[in-house]
Amino acid sequence: MTLQSRPVRDTPPADGNVASILADRSLHMHFQPIVRLSDGSLFGHEALVRGPENTALQWPDALFAAAQEQGLSMNLEEACLRAAVRSWTPTRSPGKLFVNLSAEALVHVLHCESLQRRIAALRRFGLSPAAVVVELTEHERVRDLPALVEALRPLRAHGVQIALDDFGDGRSSLRLWSELQPDYVKIDKYFARDVARQADKVQTMRALARIAETLGTTMVAEGLETADDLKAVRDLGIQLGQGYFLGRPQPSPTPRVLEQAGAVFSQGDIAVLPHPARSARSAFTVERITLQQIAMSVSTTHDEAERCFRADETLHSVALLQDGRPMGLLNRDKFMDRYAKPFFKEVYGRQPCLLFANTTPLVLDKHTGIDELTGVLTSEDQRYLTDGFIVTEGGTYLGIGTGESLVRSVTEVRIEAARHANPLTFLPGNIPISEHIARLLASGRDFVACYGDLNHFKPFNDHYGYWRGDEVIRLAARTFIGCCDARRDFIGHVGGDDFVVLFQSEDWHLRCERIVKDFNERVAAFYDETALARGGIDSEDREGMPRFFPLTTLSIGALCVAPGQFAQPDQVASAAAQAKLRAKQTGWDVYVQGGTALAET
């Protein structure tokens, strides 16, 4: 490839004729900015080809499809590379130039002409090889990966960097990423689109960022088209971004991001990242608590079963099998009690022990997950608590589980899940709350941490029952959600009737007042007429003494956090809890501490 100027004919080529387009050099380039997400500065531009205007081949998809049909794909790719360099160098734009080449075309280009001549041609145009990033496209067609790795080695020696394009589009390979060790990986726009509202995409982005960190790769998020998605991707630690919200492809490189994007970078707000609407998924299955122990045949006699139990005192229950499949469950304690009764051995000793076994035991496949196990705990048949249960694999006996281990394991998993998302309101729990506080502290901006708590809730819960108490807690959650800005304010549910809001909204104080007012008005609907007429209910206090309690209300303690005031999230949480305690002690609806003077509302 020789990069040199050549006159362009005035007559446009015939529509659909790629050869004429190449001969007339009718290709022209547009440049789309690639931006540093930390501060909105320009990192570089990607060169994007356009065919002759107002023709069938104006847009890249049609142009490359026609080139493939006409057997000119390689020629077109080389022409695009030359056009990108010719169009870029006169602009003297700072930053990197990203150019697209398929892996096949790259190997072809390096094979047909010496690399030294191509590097020299770049320099004649005033373009340093270190300013060029080759984006590998169509990497799903790579058949000889070692050959591609070897071809890139001398190119990199001259300072040219490599990017892997459209990673995650369903065709790209994690092995390719690992073996090529690209300098940049451009994540397909699918993952950035609506990431500010989809928790699964947030988790995917986080996982890809960890892989990138491990492999020493810089990530580029493509397809950024909204302010919310830009903030979310930036706050996930992705270094570079590209998309219409930052800048559209233009005939000349742009000197700065679009005004709308600049406003996001100058504002300083951090994103409120979405969390799963329900409790975090758990990898726990019943296989984890399965005891692999001996089983008996359905033809085993009572005498044989008794000798088996006496020989091994650790046997809690034993499965009775026929052709490897469970037909019953024999519980040790129940069996031994029955066997010890007068004349049982003489009458039933030689008869099959299936006669008095539990022939409808609880049978669970080893892949049974936490949701199904929770259903077991609430089912009407609770015999598994004493008898235990049978675990199978594809219908074949695998082992035994105990009711005690099942209850303990489900409880532990649910408690851990509640730390991520409260099971009653599905709001983020302690861990996401702490993570968001840490991000706010790291951002160096001021914010307000509010801790909300219900007054006289325990007497209400004792008087009307836990079901109505849960409904009041859900009312509080809906009230917080309805009065906060989901894009700027983070709402968490610590547990019970305690809520946390981390405000970035400037009008946070008005929002707090509205939260208290709305909740106090709506909670009256949960009391009966007598309680409303009296203004409260009779119930027992924490010492068990009867007394009168006013209607349940909401108190909020607000902590104004200045940059550098706290180092750790737990310090913020403790101080906000103290502000909440002061609100309850003083009877104020909203108690404000720090930043501004104490105030009563």
Side-chain angles (χ1 to χ4, degrees):
M1 174 184 68
T2 302
L3 299 173
Q4 58 185 6
S5 300
R6 175 179 171 184
V8 179
R9 284 187 278 185
D10 294 333
T11 54
D15 282 3
N17 191 335
V18 176
S20 297
I21 293 175
L22 298 181
D24 295 340
R25 292 196 174 176
S26 302
L27 300 176
H28 57 280
M29 307 304 295
H30 278 46
F31 298 95
Q32 186 174 25
I34 297 173
V35 177
R36 294 183 182 89
L37 298 184
S38 59
D39 58 8
S41 62
L42 291 180
F43 179 79
H45 285 78
E46 180 183 0
L48 302 166
V49 70
R50 299 289 185 268
E53 292 186 4
N54 303 318
T55 70
L57 302 186
Q58 177 178 351
W59 302 106
D61 288 348
L63 182 62
F64 278 91
Q68 184 175 6
E69 185 178 336
Q70 296 168 33
L72 296 172
S73 295
M74 292 294 177
N75 307 70
L76 177 59
E77 290 207 55
E78 286 202 61
C80 289
L81 182 58
R82 288 193 293 267
V85 174
R86 284 198 307 268
S87 302
W88 172 261
T89 50
T91 67
R92 299 186 179 276
S93 297
K96 303 279 189 179
L97 171 63
F98 286 67
V99 294
N100 292 282
L101 275 179
S102 67
E104 184 180 6
L106 176 63
V107 174
H108 174 76
V109 166
L110 295 177
H111 175 74
C112 292
E113 190 174 337
S114 74
L115 177 60
Q116 294 295 338
R117 290 184 60 187
R118 294 184 182 274
I119 296 298
L122 283 176
R123 295 189 188 280
R124 283 198 301 274
F125 268 78
L127 183 60
S128 168
V132 176
V133 180
V134 175
E135 287 192 34
L136 290 180
T137 63
E138 300 184 358
H139 25 71
E140 78 280 2
R141 298 183 183 179
V142 175
R143 295 181 177 84
D144 191 348
L145 186 54
L148 177 59
V149 172
E150 190 61 32
L152 291 176
R153 198 183 311 279
L155 194 63
R156 283 174 151 156
H158 284 280
V160 176
Q161 293 184 304
I162 304 300
L164 197 59
D165 191 27
D166 290 334
F167 187 87
D169 65 353
R171 303 171 298 174
S172 51
S173 165
L174 188 57
R175 179 192 169 193
L176 189 65
W177 183 351
S178 177
E179 296 201 24
L180 281 185
Q181 295 285 306
D183 303 279
Y184 308 92
V185 167
K186 302 184 80 172
I187 304 302
D188 187 70
K189 60 186 178 182
Y190 164 81
F191 295 103
R193 186 185 300 123
D194 216 27
V195 66
R197 284 179 287 276
Q198 296 190 26
D200 287 347
K201 290 186 177 181
V202 168
Q203 299 306 318
T204 301
M205 279 285 197
R206 280 178 169 156
L208 291 173
R210 285 194 291 269
I211 295 173
E213 183 179 6
T214 300
L215 298 178
T217 304
T218 298
M219 280 181 61
V220 185
E222 295 187 294
L224 297 176
E225 298 182 0
T226 69
D228 290 344
D229 289 341
L230 170 59
K231 287 198 294 185
V233 169
R234 177 199 63 190
D235 291 353
L236 285 169
I238 311 304
Q239 299 98 319
L240 302 175
Q242 185 176 3
Y244 285 173
F245 190 80
L246 297 165
R248 290 177 173 268
Q250 299 290 338
S252 298
T254 181
R256 64 186 64 85
V257 296
L258 293 176
E259 183 178 351
Q260 59 190 14
V264 172
F265 289 112
S266 63
Q267 187 178 44
D269 280 1
I270 72 166
V272 178
L273 299 174
H275 292 270
R278 294 185 176 272
S279 299
R281 297 173 185 169
S282 171
F284 178 87
T285 64
V286 75
E287 183 180 18
R288 190 180 300 179
I289 57 173
T290 299
L291 305 173
Q292 296 185 356
Q293 62 182 42
I294 64 169
M296 300 179 186
S297 166
V298 291
S299 60
T300 300
T301 66
H302 288 98
D303 290 341
E304 293 169 333
E306 189 268 346
R307 288 194 292 271
C308 182
F309 278 124
R310 289 198 181 278
D312 187 352
E313 294 185 357
T314 65
L315 292 180
H316 173 270
S317 294
V318 177
L320 304 179
L321 309 181
Q322 185 175 40
D323 298 328
R325 295 183 175 273
M327 304 300 293
L329 185 64
L330 202 62
N331 176 265
R332 177 193 186 90
D333 292 338
K334 291 181 179 179
F335 172 81
M336 297 302 284
D337 286 346
R338 183 175 285 111
Y339 193 85
K341 290 182 178 180
F343 308 113
F344 183 93
K345 178 179 179 180
E346 290 76 11
V347 176
Y348 298 108
R350 296 184 180 181
Q351 294 190 29
C353 59
L354 185 64
L355 182 65
F356 294 104
N358 177 4
T359 55
T360 57
L362 175 62
V363 179
L364 299 172
D365 183 83
K366 73 172 189 176
H367 299 297
T368 303
I370 193 67
D371 290 335
E372 294 91 337
L373 293 177
T374 302
V376 169
L377 295 183
T378 58
S379 64
E380 292 184 3
D381 188 351
Q382 297 286 294
R383 286 179 296 172
Y384 70 89
L385 290 174
T386 54
D387 291 0
F389 56 92
I390 298 173
V391 181
T392 61
E393 182 177 10
T396 302
Y397 173 76
L398 182 65
I400 291 291
T402 67
E404 178 187 1
S405 65
L406 177 61
V407 173
R408 183 178 64 253
S409 298
V410 170
T411 302
E412 290 174 352
V413 171
R414 283 304 187 197
I415 290 174
E416 178 61 25
R419 297 176 64 206
H420 292 270
N422 189 280
L424 181 60
T425 61
F426 306 133
L427 288 173
N430 291 342
I431 289 179
I433 293 171
S434 295
E435 290 175 348
H436 195 80
I437 294 175
R439 291 172 54 225
L440 284 166
L441 294 175
S443 72
R445 64 154 295 149
D446 56 353
F447 63 96
V448 178
C450 290
Y451 203 126
D453 180 75
L454 301 185
N455 303 308
H456 315 303
F457 176 70
K458 184 181 182 302
F460 174 92
N461 204 49
D462 293 341
H463 185 83
Y464 288 106
Y466 74 90
W467 181 87
R468 194 175 295 191
D470 286 351
E471 289 302 309
V472 168
I473 291 175
R474 291 191 183 99
L475 169 65
R478 292 194 301 270
T479 307
F480 276 105
I481 292 171
C483 296
C484 294
D485 184 345
R487 297 170 301 175
R488 306 185 68 189
D489 307 326
F490 179 99
I491 307 169
H493 187 178
V494 178
D497 58 328
D498 292 348
F499 293 84
V500 167
V501 184
L502 304 171
F503 280 107
Q504 295 181 87
S505 296
E506 289 83 359
D507 60 346
W508 61 269
H509 199 284
L510 292 175
R511 293 178 183 273
C512 286
E513 291 178 337
R514 192 162 80 246
I515 290 169
V516 171
K517 178 177 179 294
D518 288 356
F519 175 84
N520 291 350
E521 289 177 352
R522 295 172 184 172
V523 76
F526 291 89
Y527 286 87
D528 55 49
E529 292 183 1
T530 301
L532 291 175
R534 297 180 62 207
I537 57 175
D538 294 318
S539 186
E540 293 183 352
D541 60 19
R542 296 184 183 276
E543 286 73 37
M545 301 299 294
R547 52 170 289 204
F548 177 80
F549 291 91
L551 301 182
T552 295
T553 56
L554 176 64
S555 290
I556 294 178
L559 174 71
C560 299
V561 181
Q565 183 179 357
F566 297 97
Q568 299 296 330
D570 62 315
Q571 296 172 334
V572 176
S574 296
Q578 287 300 313
K580 180 263 296 187
L581 184 60
R582 290 284 291 162
K584 293 176 71 71
Q585 290 173 342
T586 58
W588 295 356
D589 292 340
V590 180
Y591 179 93
V592 182
Q593 178 175 311
T596 61
L598 301 184
E600 179 182 359
T601 62

